[in-house]
Amino acid sequence: MADKGHLFLDQTAPGIAGLHPYVPGKPIDELERELGILHSIKLASNENSLGPSPLGWAAAQEAAGDINIYPDDLGYRLRNKLGERHGLLSEQILLGRGSSEILDMVARTFLYPGVNAVFSAHAFAMYPIFTQAAGADASIAPALPADDPEMPYGHDLDAMLAAINEKTHVVFIANPNNPTGTWLRQGALKAFIRQIPETVIVVLDEAYAEYVEQPDYPNGLSWVSEFPNLLVTRTFSKIYGLAGLRIGWAAGSQELISVLNRVRHPFHVGNIALAAAEAALDDAQFLQYSIQTNADGLRQLEAGIKALGLTALPSVGNFLCVQVGENGRDVYDKLLRQGIIVRPVDNYGLPQYLRITIGSKDENELVLAALEKVLQ
Ligand SMILES: *Cc1c(COP(=O)(O)O)cnc(C)c1O
């Protein structure tokens, strides 16, 4: 709804007046300034608590000497390397200023007033924002019920399929989903994609794929050659620890990638980001350490939550969605005063929950102790 009297709102493109900006996790220095405290911790944005990939960081420092020149427009070297890694042609790969930019490119390319995008309730916040910004309709499929024995609040693929109609141009799926942490298995997801008309673009958002160890968790990248309408997105923001550099990528058919390239800004990914990402891809040791630390931390947090008499949604990501009682935002505020920033998810339709990023062992202990204190 346009707030009346706001200058410029009646000149905006369709959809813009009704938008609300994305609300990020609160920055640490802002909290410390507000409360006059020190040593607070942030477990709110699913960043890698181990820091950046050391190889990526070293390459970033070296690349900083070249910031007077424009980067390679298409990121030739990085796309080649990603292609080799995943058995794809470099023409099947598109880089982005974070994978968010790629989601936006999809919306700008395929969505406009009169058509719709289908996604699940409780799905990643950028899907409704980019859909609305393009002036298109959001067709939101109900999620699985809260008492689903296996995947409470998970994507309901049958409901998503039922939501697709002749006006649908894009389907967004997050696997695993943020903020719930829930995920889709190989057989069910592939059968779903098979049933989607070829004219509908399927965006499979795999921002946390590298963390997932479940054997029947699918690798969407292995499907892009089979489905010309499938676009799989990945990011360097999460496990690689390069969120501050803003770099992600997507894989799809050459036809799909070449259409998306039409809306690409020139030199959109900076040279520091390109160099760091390329080096981080070789940082197998850091990746392995991150996977292990996250798996340990997830178990630690799940056990601690249970010991507090609380429940959490099943998660395979680097975060846990915890049910804290009637008003998650109250608990969030109390945790802030303990110097701990987590993420309220009432804006995702989950007012009883808080999303907590898996931190280091010490950070996880601190958040559990603080939760115990504030819930007393
Ligand atoms: C974090 C996240 C992204 C993208 O982050 P970028 O930093 O823009 O790459 C995309 N999808 C989901 C589900 C996420 O949680």
Side-chain angles (χ1 to χ4, degrees):
M1 300 342 83
D3 42 319
K4 293 218 167 57
H6 192 301
L7 203 55
F8 308 126
L9 274 186
D10 50 4
Q11 288 130 274
T12 54
I16 302 295
L19 269 180
H20 297 282
Y22 176 76
V23 182
K26 198 181 190 65
I28 282 195
D29 41 358
E30 189 182 312
L31 175 72
E32 297 192 339
R33 244 190 344 264
E34 279 175 15
L35 297 183
I37 56 173
L38 288 173
H39 311 300
S40 51
I41 60 172
K42 181 183 174 199
L43 298 171
S45 299
N46 301 345
E47 292 137 338
N48 190 332
S49 64
L50 297 173
S53 142
L55 293 185
W57 190 51
Q61 286 173 302
E62 208 179 307
D66 291 330
I67 55 173
N68 60 313
I69 52 173
Y70 278 115
D72 173 7
D73 181 50
L74 275 170
Y76 179 80
R77 285 219 313 268
L78 179 58
R79 284 189 311 124
N80 266 341
K81 194 161 179 170
L82 287 166
E84 275 167 29
R85 279 293 152 89
H86 299 287
L88 297 163
L89 301 170
S90 60
E91 292 80 9
Q92 291 182 278
I93 291 170
L94 175 69
L95 303 181
R97 217 183 289 113
S99 52
S100 305
E101 187 193 24
I102 295 171
L103 302 175
D104 181 44
M105 288 165 83
V106 170
R108 281 191 286 134
T109 306
F110 294 105
L111 296 177
Y112 49 86
V115 306
N116 70 59
V118 169
F119 47 87
S120 173
H122 319 300
F124 184 47
M126 295 316 297
Y127 310 156
I129 291 179
F130 289 140
T131 300
Q132 164 119 25
D137 293 319
S139 181
I140 303 175
L144 293 172
D147 61 356
D148 186 90
E150 210 198 359
M151 216 56 85
Y153 294 117
H155 285 14
D156 180 341
L157 293 177
D158 293 332
M160 290 180 73
L161 211 51
I164 296 172
N165 61 24
E166 68 287 350
K167 296 280 175 56
T168 302
H169 278 201
V170 178
V171 175
F172 291 107
I173 310 167
N175 194 30
N177 182 47
N178 168 18
T180 55
T182 53
W183 58 290
L184 296 158
R185 292 175 202 283
Q186 168 136 345
L189 183 55
K190 195 165 185 187
F192 170 79
I193 296 171
R194 219 177 249 133
Q195 290 175 80
I196 295 177
E198 267 192 32
T199 50
V200 175
I201 308 303
V202 180
V203 178
L204 178 55
D205 179 342
E206 295 188 336
Y208 303 93
E210 299 86 354
Y211 281 112
V212 187
E213 298 185 289
Q214 269 70 7
D216 50 353
Y217 172 77
N219 171 10
L221 295 172
S222 68
W223 295 342
V224 298
S225 301
E226 197 175 332
F227 301 105
N229 56 332
L230 175 64
L231 188 76
V232 178
T233 61
R234 296 278 183 108
T235 184
F236 288 95
S237 299
K238 306 287 158 61
I239 202 166
Y240 290 98
L242 303 179
L245 288 177
R246 311 304 301 125
I247 179 163
W249 60 285
S253 60
Q254 290 188 63
E255 293 83 350
L256 180 50
I257 297 296
S258 75
V259 177
L260 292 171
N261 252 316
R262 297 179 185 206
V263 301
R264 187 174 52 78
H265 292 194
F267 313 112
H268 60 153
V269 182
N271 30 21
I272 297 180
L274 288 171
E278 206 184 316
L281 276 182
D282 289 329
D283 211 337
Q285 199 183 341
F286 179 72
L287 236 63
Q288 197 44 51
Y289 183 45
S290 297
I291 293 169
Q292 193 54 51
T293 305
N294 189 61
D296 293 345
L298 193 55
R299 270 195 298 274
Q300 178 193 0
L301 215 52
E302 280 171 338
I305 290 299
K306 199 171 162 197
L308 292 175
L310 303 174
T311 57
L313 300 181
S315 174
V316 291
N318 67 343
F319 55 91
L320 193 63
C321 207
V322 181
Q323 187 171 23
V324 292
E326 280 315 305
N327 194 341
R329 201 162 268 276
D330 286 349
V331 179
Y332 162 76
D333 284 329
K334 288 178 184 160
L335 286 173
L336 279 184
R337 273 174 258 133
Q338 303 292 315
I340 293 175
I341 311 171
V342 297
R343 190 65 156 270
V345 284
D346 45 359
N347 57 325
Y348 286 90
L350 296 167
Q352 303 184 342
Y353 287 80
L354 292 176
R355 192 193 68 198
I356 304 173
T357 302
I358 310 302
S360 65
K361 190 159 182 268
D362 290 348
E363 287 173 328
N364 299 334
E365 262 168 32
L366 282 171
V367 74
L368 286 168
L371 260 179
E372 180 169 24
K373 190 168 168 191
V374 307
L375 288 173
Q376 262 172 9

